[in-house]
Amino acid sequence: MILYSIVDLHALTIPRDAKVLQKSKVEMTIILMACGIDPKKCLIFEQSKVSAHLELSWILSCITPIGWLSRMTQWKTKIQEQKNIRSIEDIDVSSGSDLGLFGFFAYPVLQAADILIYKSTHVPVGDDQIQHLELTRNLAEKFNRFYKENVFPLPQTILGM
């Protein structure tokens, strides 16, 4: 069975209007169905309806070094686009910048939880997500090593076009 998750928790990494979020979830479901997703062979679900996503995300965040997250290319690119910001300490949250929000900084951990919770072995990603999948593998290795058990497989990249 192929799983399609409407990742509504990821949409919360920066503040959004609740009505817009609800509408977006419905639209995404319609788009997936219009693409020919066969509900008899696939499962479409809302990420937020499966509490284990947040539970595993918390567990993984407790073992994720801040340095690993601060080296994420997408994060660094966003930082470099801003004037006078060289590190996390330079971010002025009062300016309204989303860069200072923890959800924006730590969403790769939630993404790792999304992948690992289903013990995925292969994950389709675009170029911009390769580093996040590497983080996922690193977290799976760290978790497995700590508990001395292979709980999570190390997912392989399927590079999208």
Side-chain angles (χ1 to χ4, degrees):
M1 175 159 295
I2 298 175
L3 304 176
Y4 291 91
S5 177
I6 308 296
V7 290
D8 52 343
L9 294 173
H10 285 281
L12 299 176
T13 57
I14 57 175
R16 304 219 193 259
D17 180 81
K19 290 178 183 176
V20 172
L21 284 172
Q22 183 60 35
K23 183 179 177 193
S24 295
K25 289 191 289 187
V26 171
E27 288 173 352
M28 180 53 70
T29 304
I30 291 169
I31 289 168
L32 286 171
M33 296 299 290
C35 289
I37 301 299
D38 183 351
K40 294 176 185 162
K41 297 179 182 176
C42 303
L43 176 64
I44 301 173
F45 66 96
E46 290 180 47
Q47 175 190 39
S48 62
K49 302 291 187 205
V50 181
S51 63
H53 285 267
L54 286 175
E55 293 163 2
L56 182 56
S57 179
W58 174 252
I59 292 166
L60 294 176
S61 70
C62 289
I63 66 167
T64 304
I66 297 294
W68 288 8
L69 293 175
S70 67
R71 287 191 291 275
M72 294 286 106
T73 303
Q74 284 186 330
W75 170 256
K76 289 188 340 187
T77 300
K78 292 286 186 187
I79 291 285
Q80 291 167 355
E81 290 172 357
Q82 307 297 312
K83 295 179 181 174
N84 302 322
I85 297 178
R86 292 181 301 286
S87 72
I88 293 171
E89 292 82 18
D90 294 334
I91 298 170
D92 180 8
V93 181
S94 65
S95 71
S97 170
D98 296 330
L99 293 175
L101 301 176
F102 182 73
F104 185 78
F105 180 68
Y107 92 92
V109 178
L110 176 58
Q111 183 179 18
D114 295 337
I115 293 165
L116 296 176
I117 197 164
Y118 297 102
K119 299 191 177 191
S120 303
T121 58
H122 294 79
V123 180
V125 295
D127 287 339
D128 63 330
Q129 296 295 306
I130 292 172
Q131 189 179 34
H132 293 169
L133 194 54
E134 290 172 6
L135 174 71
T136 300
R137 282 195 297 274
N138 290 340
L139 288 172
E141 285 178 321
K142 187 172 185 177
F143 187 95
N144 291 344
R145 193 171 44 252
F146 181 80
Y147 289 103
K148 298 177 178 74
E149 193 172 323
N150 287 325
V151 176
F152 300 117
L154 306 182
Q156 300 302 306
T157 301
I158 299 174
L159 192 54
M161 294 184 184

